[in-house]
Amino acid sequence: MPELKTGARLKSAVCDGEIMVVASPGGDVDITCGGAAMVEAGADAPKVDINPDHAVGIVIGKRYITEDESIEVLCVKAGEGGLAVDGNLLLQKDTKKLPKTD
């Protein structure tokens, strides 16, 4: 995987999932979906089989982060594969409650 830059759009090679990078420390990062390396959104890539250990799915509109929160991505198209960095599954980021305006 080439350098991971903020604003980059990536797609899965195992499902229909697509993400946009929200925050990244820069440098080479091995980000996968369903156990296979993700590719740039416009690139042609052959479909490969999903790894059953990484078949947790991603949900459109949800943000996913690494445990140390150094990488954050936004799901822009749902898919069956789970996102991972260096083999560690990403966590779904909790949403913040808005204050009441009553």
Side-chain angles (χ1 to χ4, degrees):
M1 176 82 206
E3 185 175 350
L4 191 64
K5 295 181 181 179
T6 301
R9 287 191 60 151
L10 304 171
K11 69 177 182 176
S12 173
V14 299
C15 65
D16 294 332
E18 290 186 24
I19 61 168
M20 183 176 73
V21 179
V22 176
S24 172
D28 292 341
V29 176
D30 181 27
I31 189 164
T32 61
C33 182
M38 296 192 82
V39 296
E40 291 187 31
D44 287 330
K47 290 284 184 185
V48 296
D49 292 332
I50 193 167
N51 179 338
D53 295 335
H54 291 256
V56 295
I58 55 175
V59 181
I60 191 167
K62 296 293 182 182
R63 292 176 184 245
Y64 296 86
I65 56 173
T66 54
E67 198 167 310
D68 64 359
E69 298 186 22
S70 62
I71 297 174
E72 181 176 335
V73 298
L74 171 67
C75 175
V76 294
K77 190 172 183 185
E80 298 85 33
L83 299 172
V85 171
D86 297 327
N88 299 314
L89 287 172
L90 297 183
L91 308 169
Q92 187 172 315
K93 188 173 181 179
D94 292 332
T95 56
K96 295 180 181 177
K97 299 247 181 202
L98 297 175
K100 287 189 173 185
T101 58
D102 292 12

